[in-house]
Amino acid sequence: KVDAMTPGTYTATGTLQRTDTNFPLVANRADPHVLRYTLPDGKKTWLYIATDDAGQDEFFIRQADTIAGISSAADNRILGFGLSGNSVNAQLWAPELHVVDGDLYILFAANAESSNWWAGVQSYTMRLKPGGNPLVRADWEAPQRVVDQAGQPLTTYGQGITLDMTHFEDNGTDYVMWSERVVAPSTGPAVLKIAKVTPKASGSWQLASPRSTVALH
């Protein structure tokens, strides 16, 4: 009964009932992210990725025809310790799958100083090779840190952290948003930042504008 063409405030009443019995979708996985993705052969599928709470040092992707099917789909390990060519010796958090300019990317946070996690968390991207299979580790390029307009890391290890990066496109312009925090010499507030971004032909991401503050806590 909502008139979607007329601005206004509408009140809906009723009962919200979850009818699925498949909850949680995947146990011991935090920060889940699901993407509707078209495979090279034209088939549409669902891709699922999350933080692995069993150690938080690996990423697994699952693929299924339905969201419910993700629960029983196989894990495919595509990033973690000891994976030659796709290895970040780090803890790994909050991955997101995004298609940008026709390429599939994972945006995630990685801590390259595992003995000092609070000072080493940085934003990374990893691109699927053209025509690649997202379930195959060798089809992913090496992870790369997101850099600023000058080509420098967003923050310096031990001085600041960046994490929880996401991407969106508006009117043909790509943007990223992320959480940023100064940790030395003293810990500052968590600041939500936004900037334009330019994905490069190499698969790296560079800010295309100064970063702006959206909110802080």
Side-chain angles (χ1 to χ4, degrees):
K1 298 180 180 180
V2 173
D3 181 0
M5 301 303 294
T6 303
T9 300
Y10 298 87
T11 300
T13 59
T15 300
L16 179 64
Q17 181 178 0
R18 193 184 74 228
T19 58
D20 68 277
T21 58
N22 194 18
F23 185 85
L25 190 64
V26 183
N28 299 317
R29 297 287 167 86
D31 312 315
H33 197 260
V34 178
L35 174 71
R36 186 65 164 165
Y37 182 66
T38 302
L39 297 171
D41 62 4
K43 177 183 178 181
K44 292 186 179 296
T45 189
W46 290 100
L47 298 178
Y48 167 95
I49 194 169
T51 300
D52 177 24
D53 279 348
Q56 300 181 355
D57 57 8
E58 298 177 294
F59 282 151
F60 300 91
I61 287 184
R62 295 188 181 197
Q63 178 183 316
D65 292 335
T66 64
I67 291 180
I70 291 171
S71 179
S72 58
D75 274 329
N76 299 272
R77 185 169 178 246
I78 50 91
L79 187 64
F81 288 119
L83 297 180
S84 178
N86 286 48
S87 183
V88 173
N89 187 26
Q91 292 168 304
L92 305 169
W93 295 302
E96 293 191 7
L97 294 158
H98 292 274
V99 175
V100 182
D101 295 338
D103 289 327
L104 179 64
Y105 288 88
I106 301 174
L107 279 64
F108 63 97
N111 167 34
E113 297 184 359
S114 56
S115 62
N116 192 16
W117 72 265
W118 58 270
V121 183
Q122 303 296 325
S123 295
Y124 282 78
T125 66
M126 189 167 71
R127 183 174 67 173
L128 184 69
K129 297 175 183 178
N133 182 341
L135 307 184
V136 176
R137 173 179 59 85
D139 285 356
W140 288 93
E141 297 176 346
Q144 301 191 55
R145 285 179 70 177
V146 179
V147 297
D148 63 16
Q149 282 183 286
Q152 299 301 308
L154 299 182
T155 59
T156 301
Y157 281 128
Q159 298 181 15
I161 62 174
T162 60
L163 68 163
D164 297 337
M165 182 171 282
T166 192
H167 165 273
F168 66 95
E169 179 270 335
D170 180 63
N171 197 29
T173 300
D174 291 305
Y175 296 87
V176 286
M177 294 184 72
W178 69 96
S179 177
E180 185 170 311
R181 184 192 294 262
V182 173
V183 296
S186 61
T187 302
V191 183
L192 188 63
K193 296 284 188 175
I194 186 172
K196 296 178 183 178
V197 68
T198 302
K200 301 292 186 180
S202 64
S204 62
W205 286 32
Q206 183 170 0
L207 299 188
S209 72
R211 65 191 86 180
S212 300
T213 297
V214 176
L216 59 86
H217 175 70

